[in-house]
Amino acid sequence: TRADALRKPERFRKMLDACLADVRGRTGLEQCEYPQAEFLHGLGSAVRALDTSDIQQSGLSGRKLGAAIREARIELIRQHKALVAQ
């Protein structure tokens, strides 16, 4: 599930390794670069490290708290993508 990428980063890394193996298992691509794996690994680390304490202390609860944390994570992803695109 999506949450596994956050709670179980080793599973996320294994999925990225599988993607790399898939690419490199194709004829002619055995030595190709796969920068997407490092990008996604770094992005996952950044999302896991996101400090949500301000959101948690904002008085929100339940679904509203979850939605606020999700939005903070999405914004972090947008910022990370924008930095890479420069």
Side-chain angles (χ1 to χ4, degrees), residues 31-42:
Q31 301 300 320
C32 79
E33 296 293 319
Y34 193 65
Q36 298 92 327
E38 284 309 309
F39 170 77
L40 290 170
H41 177 68

Side-chain angles (χ1 to χ4, degrees), residues 11-85:
R11 285 188 184 178
F12 187 60
R13 188 61 177 179
K14 285 180 182 181
M15 186 269 309
L16 294 175
D17 289 344
C19 292
L20 176 62
D22 179 54
V23 169
R24 289 191 175 165
R26 297 167 192 266
T27 303
L29 299 176
E30 296 87 357
Q31 301 300 320
C32 79
E33 296 293 319
Y34 193 65
Q36 298 92 327
E38 284 309 309
F39 170 77
L40 290 170
H41 177 68
L43 188 55
S45 295
V47 169
R48 282 188 299 280
L50 180 65
D51 182 5
T52 61
S53 59
D54 288 345
I55 298 169
Q56 293 172 350
Q57 295 172 4
S58 69
L60 296 173
S61 62
R63 290 180 185 220
K64 289 183 180 180
L65 175 61
I69 291 172
R70 182 176 184 272
E71 286 303 314
R73 289 174 175 161
I74 290 170
E75 182 56 31
L76 177 74
I77 292 167
R78 282 187 187 114
Q79 292 172 7
H80 194 77
K81 286 174 60 176
L83 286 175
V84 171

Side-chain angles (χ1 to χ4, degrees), residues 1-8:
T1 66
R2 287 180 280 164
D4 281 348
L6 295 175
R7 288 182 290 206
K8 299 179 181 180

